[in-house]
Amino acid sequence: MAEYTLISAPPLAGVDQTHGDIRLTAPKDLAIVSVALPLGGEDAALKAVASGYGTDLPDVGKSAMAGEARLVRLGADQAFVLFQRAEPDAEKVVAGKLGDTAYLTDQTDTWCGLEISGPGSRTALERICPLDLHADAFAEHDAARTVMEHLGVIIIRTGQDSFLLLSASSSAGSFLHAVETSIKNVS
């Protein structure tokens, strides 16, 4: 009987494409940990974030860099911590900074990510994203939940012409197809 070895890999691993002035890549080893602030324990959790990451948790709809990690505030009591980590212990890394002041859930396998960058990135995204992504309306470090081609997406503006997109890993192929098609249509 043949023996097989299973190797864990993100659903969009290896995506690295350039179409015209737009580059589309899948971030390597992206770890995602959900942070839920406990009812009645919000102040302690916020102090732990400030102490552990050296910055306050950003306002809802914003993200902030804390060294190599990005803190993304998705709601009054919910945030994500995004960082590069190849080992499957992302929750323990965040717990090392926050202790037991917040509820933590490793979301790494639940989400897949795409980074889109280049001068035409906003043009490609505005074809499939109902948000106003103009720099005056969606500034660098802004974050929002939206829909792209009927798929739930979190979009974060990471630079002047760059965005990080997160969607459910269960629909990674459809997500990639939607973004690729939009890029090709404007390139």
Side-chain angles (χ1 to χ4, degrees), residues 127-130 147-153 174-175 177-179 182:
R127 296 176 55 87
I128 58 173
C129 180
V147 175
M148 292 183 187
E149 296 292 317
H150 309 295
L151 299 168
V153 175
S174 297
F175 177 49
H177 176 74
V179 177
S182 186

Side-chain angles (χ1 to χ4, degrees), residues 23-67:
R23 183 168 183 208
L24 181 66
T25 60
K28 186 169 172 39
D29 299 327
L30 179 64
I32 304 170
V33 176
S34 173
V35 178
L37 306 181
L39 183 62
E42 297 92 347
D43 289 343
L46 292 173
K47 286 178 185 173
V49 168
S51 173
Y53 285 98
T55 188
D56 290 334
L57 194 61
D59 292 335
V60 174
K62 303 288 183 187
S63 72
M65 292 304 297

Side-chain angles (χ1 to χ4, degrees), residues 35-112:
V35 178
L37 306 181
L39 183 62
E42 297 92 347
D43 289 343
L46 292 173
K47 286 178 185 173
V49 168
S51 173
Y53 285 98
T55 188
D56 290 334
L57 194 61
D59 292 335
V60 174
K62 303 288 183 187
S63 72
M65 292 304 297
E68 297 296 314
R70 179 178 294 276
L71 307 176
V72 184
R73 187 80 174 261
L74 301 168
D77 60 355
Q78 184 189 19
F80 275 174
V81 180
L82 311 174
F83 56 101
Q84 300 300 123
R85 185 81 176 168
E87 292 79 22
D89 62 350
E91 185 177 334
K92 289 180 184 175
V93 171
V94 177
K97 294 186 179 285
L98 303 184
D100 62 356
T101 62
Y103 302 115
L104 306 176
T105 308
D106 190 340
Q107 298 282 313
T108 303
D109 292 335
T110 306
W111 296 87
C112 63

Side-chain angles (χ1 to χ4, degrees), residues 113-158:
L114 288 172
E115 293 174 324
I116 181 172
S117 60
S121 59
R122 188 170 54 92
T123 302
L125 289 174
E126 65 191 6
R127 296 176 55 87
I128 58 173
C129 180
L131 298 177
D132 181 356
L133 298 177
H134 189 275
D136 293 340
F138 198 75
E140 194 170 330
H141 302 293
D142 279 2
R145 290 182 181 266
T146 188
V147 175
M148 292 183 187
E149 296 292 317
H150 309 295
L151 299 168
V153 175
I154 294 173
I155 182 170
I156 305 162
R157 188 175 203 138
T158 57

